[in-house]
Amino acid sequence: MEKITAPQNIAYRKSNVVSLEKGKVPPQAIDLEEVVLGAMMIDKKGVDEIIDILHPEAFYKNAHSLIYDAIKKLFDNSEAIDLLTVSNQLKKDGNFDKVGGDYYLIQLTQKVSSSAHIEFHARIILQKYIQRSLIKISNEIIEEAFDEGTDVFDLLDNAEAKLYEVTQGNIKRSTETAQSLVMQAKKKIQEISNKEGLSGIPSGFERLDELTSGWQPSDLIIVAARPGMGKTALTLSMARNIAVDQGIPVAFFSLEMSSVQLITRLISSETGLSSEKLRTGKLEQHEWEQLNVKVKDLEKAPLFIDDTPSLSIFDLRAKARRLSSQHGIRLIVIDYLQLMTAGGSQKGGNREQEISTISRNLKALAKELNVPVIALSQLSRAVETRGGSKRPLLSDLRESGAIEQDADIVSFIYRPEYYKIEEWDDEERTPTQGQAEFIVAKHRNGGLDNIRLKFIGELGKFDNLEDFSFPSEIPSRMNSGDDDSGFGGHNLPNPSADEAFGSSMNSDFDDDDNDVPF
């Protein structure tokens, strides 16, 4: 055997040291964990400062996790927190011996004299936890990426979802106690009482808000209608009410119309200037002034429009997560569901399966971001072939029963005027001109109703029926009978919002071959 010389021996030892240095210990701050727990047991102020920052899983040492869990239970029960009460709580939980008994608790309290800088220390502990979470997620992604059977788009979606959870500081927990949930519910009820009964996002339509208490977080709302009924006009009116009047951030995904077309609709609605004038730019001096003044609120509104065509559910979820993270969006609108694609591994299925996948993922997105998601949907031509009032039914939903199953609210837009029906089928035989009905046909957490709204086709706008008043420009145009847009007389049919703004939804290009023709 060859003898190793001194220089070779030194090199051998160096290589050994390098290999030992490659061993990695998960990020941790045990000394700060001890300081934080000790401060919480000697100073109530310390508990109040960090109880919302940390959770038991954030602690690296298991004993520290158990101690913090005991402190949190005492806090939730509004009980005193000190060395004795924490010791008793640990005994109740059967964790007293696991943490090292009173001796270890006393040691923790002796490490600090006050809760000074406790929030700073807690945030370092949280940072170490996030680092450990990222390491865990990265290892899982690497393992899945090496699996040849994994669909790359599903892998990207899962990876982004996990990273989003870490970004929000909201790592999923498997269960929550009844006590914790009751406290959350009581807090929410208190908030509702301060908002005059509205627990969700107000739509701006009073009777609808009374029925729904506003659009609720995590709900999937389907708004369905035949082409030309004004689906886009209705949801744009809602988005305007929410973003402009309430200052609530809204994301609007338009798969059919361009973002400039949509904002032009909103400008028409906001200013009272007809679409014809805005399209041609033939405005008089006072109308230019009217335009510049009345769009200021719209310019400042937290409304985000994405007009990516043929958007896949994977891309939608990625964009929505980013908007939620960066701008805090509280409502998502999708116009419309049938123009979306499933993407990923779902491309090979039939259209019904694809729509089911999209519907299921939209509900999952609503729950993940805890925001209401409003998705527009087409109805089949079966509505047109029926006699009578032609009110839509749940069975008219296009292509998949999964839409009805996944949705918390299924609603329809119905304008009898579109079918040349001049009177409502009520006792008063009210004229239908310029009116629409918002039909709530399914409501998982509330009642059903048919709510009448005012419809102004010239402006592509819906409004409350009781409160509506025409903008100053409209009466002269409608009464004169010589309007160059073709909507001058009262006797002419009121055009749909989609017709007035040239929507391609009227072409019915996406009806399947099995539909009965007109």
Side-chain angles (χ1 to χ4, degrees):
M1 184 176 179
E2 185 180 350
K3 186 177 179 181
I4 299 175
T5 60
Q8 288 173 319
N9 200 30
I10 291 169
Y12 173 78
R13 287 201 303 274
K14 282 183 178 178
S15 66
N16 235 3
V17 171
V18 170
S19 65
L20 287 172
E21 287 174 350
K22 288 181 180 178
K24 295 177 181 178
V25 177
Q28 56 187 281
I30 291 179
D31 53 340
L32 292 181
E33 291 180 8
E34 293 172 344
V35 168
V36 164
L37 291 173
M40 292 177 81
M41 286 189 284
I42 66 171
D43 189 349
K44 183 183 183 299
K45 183 183 175 184
V47 179
D48 295 334
E49 285 189 17
I50 70 162
I51 199 71
D52 290 331
I53 297 174
L54 295 177
H55 45 86
E57 293 83 3
F59 290 84
Y60 180 73
K61 191 171 180 179
N62 185 55
H64 294 166
S65 179
L66 296 174
I67 293 169
Y68 183 81
D69 186 51
I71 292 173
K72 193 171 186 307
K73 286 178 180 176
L74 291 169
F75 178 84
D76 291 342
N77 290 327
S78 301
E79 295 181 16
I81 298 171
D82 56 33
L83 183 63
L84 292 175
T85 57
V86 173
S87 175
N88 287 334
Q89 185 63 46
L90 286 166
K91 289 174 183 175
K92 286 181 186 177
D93 297 339
N95 296 324
F96 184 70
D97 293 330
K98 293 178 184 177
V99 304
D102 286 331
Y103 175 75
Y104 188 70
L105 295 177
I106 292 168
Q107 275 191 318
L108 292 178
T109 58
Q110 289 177 342
K111 288 182 181 287
V112 288
S113 57
S114 74
S115 63
H117 312 300
I118 188 171
E119 183 178 349
F120 180 76
H121 296 152
R123 294 199 180 279
I124 294 175
I125 294 171
L126 185 62
Q127 288 172 17
K128 298 298 181 184
Y129 170 65
I130 291 172
Q131 285 179 278
R132 295 197 300 273
S133 299
L134 288 173
I135 291 168
K136 180 175 178 288
I137 290 169
S138 300
N139 287 333
E140 290 173 356
I141 293 170
I142 291 169
E143 188 174 338
E144 290 173 3
F146 274 108
D147 184 357
E148 293 293 335
T150 302
D151 182 273
V152 67
F153 293 104
D154 291 340
L155 177 60
L156 281 169
D157 191 40
N158 292 336
E160 188 168 42
K162 291 175 181 176
L163 289 171
Y164 177 80
E165 290 169 13
V166 175
T167 303
Q168 298 302 303
N170 189 28
I171 303 301
K172 286 181 180 175
R173 291 174 291 175
S174 56
T175 57
E176 287 189 85
T177 65
Q179 182 185 55
S180 170
L181 293 170
V182 167
M183 290 183 68
Q184 290 178 40
K186 286 168 64 179
K187 185 178 179 182
K188 186 174 181 180
I189 293 167
Q190 180 64 40
E191 290 173 354
I192 294 170
S193 68
N194 297 332
K195 293 182 183 178
E196 299 180 354
L198 290 184
S199 56
I201 308 294
S203 68
F205 300 123
E206 294 175 2
R207 285 190 57 200
L208 178 58
D209 289 336
E210 288 174 8
L211 180 67
T212 63
S213 296
W215 300 129
Q216 301 298 315
S218 80
D219 273 6
L220 173 61
I221 301 110
I222 299 295
V223 178
R226 288 296 293 153
M229 287 290 167
K231 294 188 288 295
T232 304
L234 178 72
T235 46
L236 267 182
S237 296
M238 281 187 196
R240 182 257 166 227
N241 295 341
I242 294 166
V244 176
D245 293 341
Q246 306 292 330
I248 296 171
V250 177
F252 199 106
F253 292 90
S254 175
L255 285 79
E256 181 186 33
M257 300 180 66
S258 73
S259 53
V260 175
Q261 285 177 315
L262 288 175
I263 210 69
T264 303
R265 279 193 174 200
L266 284 172
I267 291 171
S268 176
S269 170
E270 202 73 3
T271 62
L273 298 170
S274 70
S275 60
E276 180 70 19
K277 289 190 174 182
L278 294 178
R279 277 201 300 264
T280 61
K282 295 178 180 178
L283 303 180
E284 297 178 15
Q285 183 59 38
H286 74 277
E287 290 173 327
W288 279 112
E289 293 172 2
Q290 181 179 343
L291 175 64
N292 292 329
V293 170
K294 291 194 174 183
V295 296
K296 288 183 178 178
D297 288 340
L298 185 59
E299 287 175 352
K300 295 182 289 185
L303 177 62
F304 305 91
I305 299 175
D306 186 300
D307 60 359
T308 306
S310 301
L311 190 68
S312 71
I313 187 64
F314 160 72
D315 290 330
L316 173 72
R317 290 176 68 173
K319 288 171 181 283
R321 289 185 190 115
R322 281 193 288 273
L323 284 168
S324 176
S325 176
Q326 294 170 10
H327 302 289
I329 57 165
R330 292 175 57 193
L331 176 74
I332 296 172
V333 181
I334 300 148
D335 182 13
Y336 59 99
L337 192 147
Q338 277 80 11
L339 289 179
M340 291 189 67
T341 61
S345 60
Q346 298 295 326
K347 289 181 178 178
N350 61 39
R351 186 58 181 161
E352 184 174 343
Q353 291 172 335
E354 196 171 18
I355 291 292
S356 298
T357 300
I358 293 168
S359 172
R360 188 166 56 251
N361 277 275
L362 288 178
K363 176 59 182 174
L365 177 66
K367 290 186 69 176
E368 179 184 338
L369 301 185
N370 196 36
V371 300
V373 172
I374 299 176
L376 306 191
S377 177
Q378 285 277 40
L379 291 177
S380 71
R381 282 181 173 172
V383 178
E384 314 287 358
T385 61
R386 279 202 301 269
S389 66
K390 299 186 185 294
R391 271 193 178 85
L393 306 171
L394 286 171
S395 57
D396 296 325
L397 284 170
R398 292 277 317 261
E399 289 166 319
S400 177
I403 297 175
E404 179 185 347
Q405 177 183 321
D406 295 328
D408 297 278
I409 295 176
V410 178
S411 59
F412 302 114
I413 304 170
Y414 169 61
R415 289 197 303 113
E417 186 181 10
Y418 181 87
Y419 298 112
K420 313 300 182 188
I421 300 172
E422 297 180 355
E423 294 180 338
W424 290 102
D425 52 358
D426 53 16
E427 292 181 2
E428 294 82 10
R429 310 303 294 179
T430 313
T432 62
Q433 184 178 14
Q435 294 187 16
E437 207 169 50
F438 189 84
I439 303 168
V440 179
K442 176 192 174 182
H443 191 185
R444 185 165 285 160
N445 300 306
L448 309 179
D449 201 358
N450 296 351
I451 298 165
R452 289 190 193 169
L453 301 172
K454 185 68 182 176
F455 172 69
I456 314 101
E458 295 88 346
L459 303 181
K461 177 181 179 180
F462 283 79
D463 209 333
N464 289 301
L465 189 59
E466 297 81 5
D467 300 339
F468 174 75
S469 61
F470 276 109
S472 57
E473 183 218 4
I474 299 302
S476 60
R477 290 177 52 244
M478 290 196 69
N479 295 325
S480 65
D482 59 355
D483 175 45
D484 60 358
S485 67
F487 308 135
H490 277 294
N491 295 326
L492 294 177
N494 199 358
S496 73
D498 297 313
E499 289 166 342
F501 288 83
S503 169
S504 64
M505 285 181 72
N506 293 308
S507 64
D508 228 2
F509 67 90
D510 61 327
D511 276 316
D512 55 55
D513 295 334
N514 295 325
D515 281 339
V516 181
F518 286 111

